[in-house]
Amino acid sequence: MKYRLASLLLMVCALTGLKASAAEWKHDIYVNPDGSADYTTVTEALDGIRAYMDYNVTVHIANGVYKEKVVIPSWLKNVTFEGQNADSTIITFDHHANIDNMGTFRTYTVKVEACDATFRNLTIENNAPQLGQAVALHTEGDRLRFINCRFLGNQDTIFTGGKNSRLYFDSCYIEGTTDFIFGPATAYFRKCDILSKRDSYITAASTPEDVKYGYIFDSCTLRALPEVTKVYLGRPWRPYAHTVFINCEMGSHIRPAGWHNWNNTDNERTARYGEYGSRGAGASQEGRVSWAMKVSDTEAADCLDIAKVFAVTTGWNPAE
């Protein structure tokens, strides 16, 4: 009889616990490394978000340095990660490709597998020494927004993964050395500040042949460290790479040729590279490679139509 009563009590406790747990799901979650909030790390906070929820959750991240390797899993959606201040809310790690043969795609600081997520007012950094590829942000999800964020790194700072994945970067700061924005996704960069830290290449798109838009830079500013004087706008990681700069300010560090074929002349037949309305010391079109696209007024207008750019599978306008 005692054993049966004990079992009954355990069952009641278990059921009560399940109900209590379900009631604890919150719309607002707070993270602070000083222990004064719900969680002390971003990774811990992910446990407080219900899988596949149909409501919005905001993770409020206080100023601080969060040294952690964060994976935002595919079963989360409708989440906003809101930093207190872009300069002072910093998620950082230091993996690079030559640590135990890690390779490029395991070096990330933050990997986003989730869809329908927003990141605002925070820094994502890979501060590994310059000993190989070192990704700060690795994305695989669709309909991701990054607003007023900073991305710090060297080679391969941002990897935009996933065919037909759609990414929107608004008023962000992005820095790197070589191919520091790369991948197959459709990504729109609006009013971003892009800093080259070495004579090299800014982009390395791998846009699939059947995807119309790859990288679009709208009203961005391209700058460089004082010692950097020879930077290409991009080179094709895969043959049909698509990258267009529209109404961008280009510093004198941009090479007259503008684009590079990655030492493969076949890429000149397929790469879809172009500019429209470039201005600044590096904007002259006279020395640009002959195989770059001549972007027309209509084509430029199409590229600036965010809803049209992101109408890859279903409609999405992240600026609304």
Short mmCIF file of all heavy atoms in Angstrom, two decimals, residues 261-315:
data_model
loop_
_atom_site.label_atom_id
_atom_site.label_comp_id
_atom_site.label_asym_id
_atom_site.label_seq_id
_atom_site.Cartn_x
_atom_site.Cartn_y
_atom_site.Cartn_z
N ASN A 261 37.92 37.16 -61.41
CA ASN A 261 37.31 35.92 -61.92
C ASN A 261 37.74 34.67 -61.16
O ASN A 261 37.43 33.56 -61.58
CB ASN A 261 37.62 35.74 -63.41
CG ASN A 261 39.11 35.55 -63.70
OD1 ASN A 261 39.91 35.34 -62.79
ND2 ASN A 261 39.49 35.65 -64.96
N TRP A 262 38.42 34.81 -60.07
CA TRP A 262 38.94 33.71 -59.25
C TRP A 262 39.86 32.82 -60.11
O TRP A 262 39.85 31.60 -60.02
CB TRP A 262 37.82 32.88 -58.63
CG TRP A 262 38.21 32.23 -57.32
CD1 TRP A 262 39.33 31.51 -57.06
CD2 TRP A 262 37.46 32.24 -56.10
NE1 TRP A 262 39.34 31.07 -55.76
CE2 TRP A 262 38.20 31.50 -55.14
CE3 TRP A 262 36.23 32.78 -55.72
CZ2 TRP A 262 37.76 31.30 -53.83
CZ3 TRP A 262 35.80 32.59 -54.41
CH2 TRP A 262 36.55 31.86 -53.48
N ASN A 263 40.65 33.47 -60.94
CA ASN A 263 41.63 32.79 -61.79
C ASN A 263 41.00 31.73 -62.69
O ASN A 263 41.61 30.70 -63.00
CB ASN A 263 42.74 32.16 -60.94
CG ASN A 263 43.49 33.19 -60.12
OD1 ASN A 263 43.76 34.29 -60.61
ND2 ASN A 263 43.82 32.87 -58.89
N ASN A 264 39.77 31.97 -63.11
CA ASN A 264 39.07 31.04 -63.99
C ASN A 264 38.27 31.87 -65.00
O ASN A 264 37.24 32.46 -64.67
CB ASN A 264 38.13 30.15 -63.17
CG ASN A 264 37.44 29.10 -64.03
OD1 ASN A 264 37.49 29.14 -65.25
ND2 ASN A 264 36.77 28.16 -63.38
N THR A 265 38.74 31.91 -66.23
CA THR A 265 38.08 32.73 -67.25
C THR A 265 36.66 32.24 -67.56
O THR A 265 35.83 33.03 -68.03
CB THR A 265 38.90 32.76 -68.54
OG1 THR A 265 39.14 31.42 -69.00
CG2 THR A 265 40.24 33.46 -68.32
N ASP A 266 36.36 30.98 -67.29
CA ASP A 266 34.99 30.49 -67.51
C ASP A 266 33.98 31.24 -66.63
O ASP A 266 32.82 31.40 -67.02
CB ASP A 266 34.90 28.99 -67.21
CG ASP A 266 35.56 28.14 -68.30
OD1 ASP A 266 35.78 28.67 -69.40
OD2 ASP A 266 35.84 26.96 -68.02
N ASN A 267 34.43 31.69 -65.47
CA ASN A 267 33.53 32.44 -64.59
C ASN A 267 33.08 33.76 -65.21
O ASN A 267 32.03 34.31 -64.83
CB ASN A 267 34.22 32.73 -63.26
CG ASN A 267 34.32 31.49 -62.38
OD1 ASN A 267 33.50 30.58 -62.47
ND2 ASN A 267 35.35 31.44 -61.55
N GLU A 268 33.84 34.27 -66.15
CA GLU A 268 33.49 35.54 -66.78
C GLU A 268 32.22 35.41 -67.63
O GLU A 268 31.54 36.40 -67.88
CB GLU A 268 34.66 36.04 -67.62
CG GLU A 268 35.91 36.33 -66.80
CD GLU A 268 37.08 36.76 -67.65
OE1 GLU A 268 36.87 37.01 -68.87
OE2 GLU A 268 38.21 36.87 -67.12
N ARG A 269 31.89 34.21 -68.06
CA ARG A 269 30.69 33.99 -68.87
C ARG A 269 29.44 33.86 -68.02
O ARG A 269 28.32 34.06 -68.52
CB ARG A 269 30.85 32.72 -69.72
CG ARG A 269 31.97 32.77 -70.74
CD ARG A 269 32.00 31.51 -71.60
NE ARG A 269 32.30 30.31 -70.82
CZ ARG A 269 31.39 29.43 -70.43
NH1 ARG A 269 30.11 29.60 -70.72
NH2 ARG A 269 31.75 28.36 -69.73
N THR A 270 29.59 33.52 -66.76
CA THR A 270 28.43 33.20 -65.94
C THR A 270 28.21 34.12 -64.74
O THR A 270 27.07 34.31 -64.32
CB THR A 270 28.55 31.76 -65.42
OG1 THR A 270 29.80 31.62 -64.70
CG2 THR A 270 28.52 30.75 -66.57
N ALA A 271 29.29 34.68 -64.19
CA ALA A 271 29.14 35.53 -63.01
C ALA A 271 28.27 36.74 -63.34
O ALA A 271 28.38 37.33 -64.41
CB ALA A 271 30.51 35.98 -62.51
N ARG A 272 27.40 37.10 -62.40
CA ARG A 272 26.47 38.21 -62.61
C ARG A 272 26.84 39.33 -61.64
O ARG A 272 26.31 39.41 -60.53
CB ARG A 272 25.03 37.71 -62.40
CG ARG A 272 24.61 36.66 -63.40
CD ARG A 272 23.30 35.99 -63.00
NE ARG A 272 23.47 35.06 -61.89
CZ ARG A 272 22.45 34.53 -61.20
NH1 ARG A 272 21.21 34.89 -61.49
NH2 ARG A 272 22.67 33.68 -60.23
N TYR A 273 27.73 40.18 -62.09
CA TYR A 273 28.27 41.25 -61.26
C TYR A 273 27.96 42.61 -61.88
O TYR A 273 28.07 42.76 -63.11
CB TYR A 273 29.79 41.11 -61.14
CG TYR A 273 30.26 40.02 -60.21
CD1 TYR A 273 31.53 39.47 -60.37
CD2 TYR A 273 29.47 39.57 -59.16
CE1 TYR A 273 31.98 38.48 -59.51
CE2 TYR A 273 29.92 38.59 -58.30
CZ TYR A 273 31.18 38.04 -58.47
OH TYR A 273 31.63 37.07 -57.63
N GLY A 274 27.60 43.58 -61.06
CA GLY A 274 27.31 44.89 -61.62
C GLY A 274 27.20 45.97 -60.56
O GLY A 274 27.15 45.70 -59.36
N GLU A 275 27.13 47.22 -61.06
CA GLU A 275 26.99 48.39 -60.20
C GLU A 275 26.00 49.36 -60.83
O GLU A 275 25.77 49.34 -62.04
CB GLU A 275 28.32 49.11 -60.04
CG GLU A 275 29.44 48.33 -59.42
CD GLU A 275 30.77 49.07 -59.59
OE1 GLU A 275 30.92 50.16 -58.99
OE2 GLU A 275 31.63 48.58 -60.34
N TYR A 276 25.48 50.22 -59.98
CA TYR A 276 24.60 51.27 -60.47
C TYR A 276 24.68 52.44 -59.49
O TYR A 276 24.51 52.26 -58.28
CB TYR A 276 23.16 50.77 -60.56
CG TYR A 276 22.17 51.80 -61.08
CD1 TYR A 276 21.87 51.86 -62.44
CD2 TYR A 276 21.54 52.69 -60.21
CE1 TYR A 276 20.96 52.79 -62.92
CE2 TYR A 276 20.62 53.62 -60.67
CZ TYR A 276 20.34 53.67 -62.04
OH TYR A 276 19.43 54.59 -62.50
N GLY A 277 25.00 53.61 -60.00
CA GLY A 277 25.03 54.79 -59.15
C GLY A 277 26.16 54.83 -58.15
O GLY A 277 26.05 55.50 -57.11
N SER A 278 27.27 54.12 -58.44
CA SER A 278 28.41 54.15 -57.51
C SER A 278 28.99 55.56 -57.46
O SER A 278 29.01 56.29 -58.46
CB SER A 278 29.49 53.17 -57.97
OG SER A 278 29.00 51.84 -57.93
N ARG A 279 29.51 55.92 -56.31
CA ARG A 279 30.11 57.25 -56.15
C ARG A 279 31.33 57.12 -55.23
O ARG A 279 31.49 56.13 -54.54
CB ARG A 279 29.11 58.24 -55.58
CG ARG A 279 28.57 57.87 -54.22
CD ARG A 279 27.44 58.78 -53.77
NE ARG A 279 26.98 58.45 -52.43
CZ ARG A 279 26.11 57.49 -52.15
NH1 ARG A 279 25.59 56.77 -53.14
NH2 ARG A 279 25.76 57.25 -50.90
N GLY A 280 32.17 58.14 -55.26
CA GLY A 280 33.35 58.13 -54.42
C GLY A 280 34.61 57.85 -55.22
O GLY A 280 34.58 57.60 -56.43
N ALA A 281 35.76 57.85 -54.52
CA ALA A 281 37.07 57.73 -55.18
C ALA A 281 37.25 56.40 -55.88
O ALA A 281 38.04 56.31 -56.83
CB ALA A 281 38.17 57.93 -54.14
N GLY A 282 36.57 55.37 -55.46
CA GLY A 282 36.72 54.05 -56.09
C GLY A 282 35.59 53.67 -57.01
O GLY A 282 35.44 52.49 -57.36
N ALA A 283 34.80 54.66 -57.43
CA ALA A 283 33.57 54.36 -58.18
C ALA A 283 33.71 54.43 -59.69
O ALA A 283 32.77 54.04 -60.40
CB ALA A 283 32.47 55.32 -57.74
N SER A 284 34.83 54.89 -60.19
CA SER A 284 34.97 55.06 -61.64
C SER A 284 34.75 53.75 -62.37
O SER A 284 35.29 52.70 -62.00
CB SER A 284 36.35 55.61 -61.98
OG SER A 284 36.53 55.66 -63.39
N GLN A 285 33.97 53.79 -63.43
CA GLN A 285 33.66 52.60 -64.23
C GLN A 285 34.62 52.39 -65.39
O GLN A 285 34.56 51.37 -66.08
CB GLN A 285 32.23 52.71 -64.77
CG GLN A 285 31.17 52.83 -63.69
CD GLN A 285 31.09 51.61 -62.81
OE1 GLN A 285 30.77 50.52 -63.28
NE2 GLN A 285 31.39 51.76 -61.53
N GLU A 286 35.53 53.32 -65.61
CA GLU A 286 36.41 53.26 -66.79
C GLU A 286 37.29 52.03 -66.80
O GLU A 286 37.54 51.44 -67.85
CB GLU A 286 37.26 54.53 -66.87
CG GLU A 286 36.46 55.78 -67.19
CD GLU A 286 37.35 56.99 -67.34
OE1 GLU A 286 38.61 56.82 -67.29
OE2 GLU A 286 36.83 58.10 -67.50
N GLY A 287 37.79 51.62 -65.67
CA GLY A 287 38.69 50.48 -65.62
C GLY A 287 38.05 49.16 -65.25
O GLY A 287 38.73 48.15 -65.10
N ARG A 288 36.71 49.15 -65.12
CA ARG A 288 36.03 47.94 -64.70
C ARG A 288 36.18 46.83 -65.75
O ARG A 288 36.28 47.09 -66.95
CB ARG A 288 34.54 48.20 -64.45
CG ARG A 288 34.23 49.10 -63.25
CD ARG A 288 34.63 48.44 -61.94
NE ARG A 288 34.04 49.12 -60.79
CZ ARG A 288 34.68 49.94 -59.97
NH1 ARG A 288 35.98 50.20 -60.18
NH2 ARG A 288 34.07 50.48 -58.94
N VAL A 289 36.14 45.57 -65.29
CA VAL A 289 36.28 44.44 -66.20
C VAL A 289 35.15 44.47 -67.23
O VAL A 289 34.01 44.86 -66.94
CB VAL A 289 36.26 43.09 -65.44
CG1 VAL A 289 37.47 42.98 -64.54
CG2 VAL A 289 34.97 42.94 -64.64
N SER A 290 35.47 44.04 -68.45
CA SER A 290 34.50 44.11 -69.55
C SER A 290 33.33 43.15 -69.36
O SER A 290 32.26 43.35 -69.93
CB SER A 290 35.20 43.82 -70.88
OG SER A 290 35.78 42.52 -70.86
N TRP A 291 33.53 42.12 -68.55
CA TRP A 291 32.49 41.11 -68.40
C TRP A 291 31.49 41.42 -67.29
O TRP A 291 30.55 40.65 -67.05
CB TRP A 291 33.10 39.73 -68.17
CG TRP A 291 34.22 39.66 -67.17
CD1 TRP A 291 35.55 39.87 -67.39
CD2 TRP A 291 34.10 39.36 -65.77
NE1 TRP A 291 36.27 39.72 -66.23
CE2 TRP A 291 35.40 39.40 -65.23
CE3 TRP A 291 33.03 39.05 -64.94
CZ2 TRP A 291 35.65 39.15 -63.88
CZ3 TRP A 291 33.27 38.80 -63.59
CH2 TRP A 291 34.58 38.86 -63.09
N ALA A 292 31.64 42.55 -66.62
CA ALA A 292 30.66 42.96 -65.61
C ALA A 292 29.36 43.40 -66.29
O ALA A 292 29.36 43.87 -67.43
CB ALA A 292 31.20 44.10 -64.76
N MET A 293 28.24 43.23 -65.62
CA MET A 293 26.94 43.62 -66.17
C MET A 293 26.81 45.14 -66.23
O MET A 293 27.36 45.86 -65.40
CB MET A 293 25.80 43.09 -65.28
CG MET A 293 25.69 41.60 -65.18
SD MET A 293 24.16 41.11 -64.28
CE MET A 293 24.39 41.92 -62.68
N LYS A 294 26.08 45.61 -67.22
CA LYS A 294 25.67 47.00 -67.29
C LYS A 294 24.26 47.07 -66.74
O LYS A 294 23.30 46.68 -67.40
CB LYS A 294 25.71 47.51 -68.74
CG LYS A 294 27.03 47.27 -69.46
CD LYS A 294 28.21 47.94 -68.76
CE LYS A 294 29.52 47.68 -69.51
NZ LYS A 294 30.69 48.23 -68.79
N VAL A 295 24.13 47.53 -65.52
CA VAL A 295 22.83 47.53 -64.85
C VAL A 295 22.00 48.70 -65.34
O VAL A 295 22.40 49.86 -65.23
CB VAL A 295 23.01 47.60 -63.33
CG1 VAL A 295 21.65 47.60 -62.62
CG2 VAL A 295 23.86 46.43 -62.84
N SER A 296 20.83 48.41 -65.88
CA SER A 296 19.93 49.44 -66.41
C SER A 296 19.11 50.07 -65.29
O SER A 296 19.08 49.58 -64.15
CB SER A 296 18.99 48.85 -67.44
OG SER A 296 18.08 47.95 -66.84
N ASP A 297 18.43 51.15 -65.60
CA ASP A 297 17.55 51.81 -64.63
C ASP A 297 16.48 50.83 -64.12
O ASP A 297 16.19 50.77 -62.93
CB ASP A 297 16.86 53.02 -65.27
CG ASP A 297 17.83 54.14 -65.61
OD1 ASP A 297 19.00 54.08 -65.17
OD2 ASP A 297 17.43 55.07 -66.32
N THR A 298 15.92 50.07 -65.05
CA THR A 298 14.87 49.12 -64.69
C THR A 298 15.41 48.01 -63.79
O THR A 298 14.78 47.64 -62.78
CB THR A 298 14.24 48.50 -65.94
OG1 THR A 298 13.68 49.54 -66.74
CG2 THR A 298 13.17 47.49 -65.58
N GLU A 299 16.58 47.50 -64.15
CA GLU A 299 17.18 46.43 -63.35
C GLU A 299 17.55 46.92 -61.95
O GLU A 299 17.37 46.20 -60.95
CB GLU A 299 18.42 45.88 -64.06
CG GLU A 299 18.08 45.08 -65.31
CD GLU A 299 19.30 44.80 -66.17
OE1 GLU A 299 20.28 45.58 -66.11
OE2 GLU A 299 19.26 43.81 -66.92
N ALA A 300 18.04 48.16 -61.87
CA ALA A 300 18.37 48.73 -60.56
C ALA A 300 17.12 48.89 -59.72
O ALA A 300 17.11 48.58 -58.51
CB ALA A 300 19.07 50.08 -60.73
N ALA A 301 16.03 49.35 -60.34
CA ALA A 301 14.77 49.51 -59.61
C ALA A 301 14.26 48.17 -59.12
O ALA A 301 13.72 48.06 -58.00
CB ALA A 301 13.74 50.18 -60.51
N ASP A 302 14.42 47.13 -59.92
CA ASP A 302 14.00 45.79 -59.50
C ASP A 302 14.80 45.33 -58.29
O ASP A 302 14.25 44.73 -57.35
CB ASP A 302 14.18 44.80 -60.65
CG ASP A 302 13.13 44.96 -61.74
OD1 ASP A 302 12.11 45.63 -61.48
OD2 ASP A 302 13.33 44.42 -62.83
N CYS A 303 16.11 45.61 -58.30
CA CYS A 303 16.96 45.20 -57.19
C CYS A 303 16.61 45.94 -55.90
O CYS A 303 16.82 45.41 -54.80
CB CYS A 303 18.42 45.43 -57.53
SG CYS A 303 19.11 44.27 -58.73
N LEU A 304 16.10 47.16 -56.04
CA LEU A 304 15.74 47.94 -54.86
C LEU A 304 14.33 47.64 -54.36
O LEU A 304 13.92 48.16 -53.32
CB LEU A 304 15.87 49.44 -55.17
CG LEU A 304 17.29 49.93 -55.46
CD1 LEU A 304 17.28 51.41 -55.80
CD2 LEU A 304 18.23 49.66 -54.29
N ASP A 305 13.59 46.83 -55.09
CA ASP A 305 12.26 46.41 -54.68
C ASP A 305 12.41 45.19 -53.78
O ASP A 305 12.49 44.05 -54.24
CB ASP A 305 11.41 46.09 -55.91
CG ASP A 305 9.96 45.79 -55.58
OD1 ASP A 305 9.68 45.40 -54.43
OD2 ASP A 305 9.11 45.92 -56.47
N ILE A 306 12.45 45.41 -52.48
CA ILE A 306 12.76 44.34 -51.53
C ILE A 306 11.76 43.19 -51.64
O ILE A 306 12.14 42.01 -51.60
CB ILE A 306 12.80 44.89 -50.09
CG1 ILE A 306 13.94 45.89 -49.96
CG2 ILE A 306 13.00 43.75 -49.09
CD1 ILE A 306 14.02 46.56 -48.60
N ALA A 307 10.50 43.52 -51.79
CA ALA A 307 9.49 42.47 -51.89
C ALA A 307 9.73 41.60 -53.11
O ALA A 307 9.56 40.37 -53.07
CB ALA A 307 8.09 43.09 -51.95
N LYS A 308 10.17 42.20 -54.21
CA LYS A 308 10.44 41.44 -55.43
C LYS A 308 11.69 40.57 -55.26
O LYS A 308 11.72 39.41 -55.67
CB LYS A 308 10.61 42.38 -56.62
CG LYS A 308 10.87 41.69 -57.94
CD LYS A 308 10.95 42.69 -59.09
CE LYS A 308 9.60 43.29 -59.38
NZ LYS A 308 9.62 44.15 -60.60
N VAL A 309 12.71 41.13 -54.64
CA VAL A 309 13.95 40.39 -54.42
C VAL A 309 13.69 39.14 -53.58
O VAL A 309 14.23 38.07 -53.85
CB VAL A 309 15.00 41.29 -53.74
CG1 VAL A 309 16.20 40.46 -53.25
CG2 VAL A 309 15.46 42.38 -54.69
N PHE A 310 12.85 39.28 -52.56
CA PHE A 310 12.63 38.17 -51.64
C PHE A 310 11.44 37.29 -52.01
O PHE A 310 11.06 36.41 -51.26
CB PHE A 310 12.44 38.70 -50.22
CG PHE A 310 13.73 39.17 -49.58
CD1 PHE A 310 13.80 40.39 -48.92
CD2 PHE A 310 14.87 38.39 -49.64
CE1 PHE A 310 14.99 40.81 -48.33
CE2 PHE A 310 16.05 38.80 -49.06
CZ PHE A 310 16.11 40.01 -48.40
N ALA A 311 10.87 37.50 -53.19
CA ALA A 311 9.78 36.64 -53.65
C ALA A 311 10.35 35.40 -54.31
O ALA A 311 10.04 35.06 -55.45
CB ALA A 311 8.88 37.39 -54.61
N VAL A 312 11.21 34.70 -53.59
CA VAL A 312 11.90 33.53 -54.12
C VAL A 312 10.99 32.31 -54.07
O VAL A 312 10.82 31.59 -55.05
CB VAL A 312 13.21 33.25 -53.34
CG1 VAL A 312 13.91 32.02 -53.89
CG2 VAL A 312 14.13 34.46 -53.40
N THR A 313 10.42 32.07 -52.91
CA THR A 313 9.52 30.93 -52.74
C THR A 313 8.13 31.46 -52.36
O THR A 313 7.18 31.28 -53.10
CB THR A 313 10.05 29.96 -51.67
OG1 THR A 313 10.39 30.73 -50.49
CG2 THR A 313 11.30 29.26 -52.16
N THR A 314 8.05 32.12 -51.21
CA THR A 314 6.82 32.80 -50.80
C THR A 314 7.16 34.27 -50.57
O THR A 314 8.33 34.64 -50.48
CB THR A 314 6.28 32.20 -49.49
OG1 THR A 314 7.30 32.30 -48.49
CG2 THR A 314 5.91 30.74 -49.69
N GLY A 315 6.14 35.10 -50.50
CA GLY A 315 6.40 36.51 -50.31
C GLY A 315 6.93 36.85 -48.93
O GLY A 315 6.57 36.21 -47.94
#
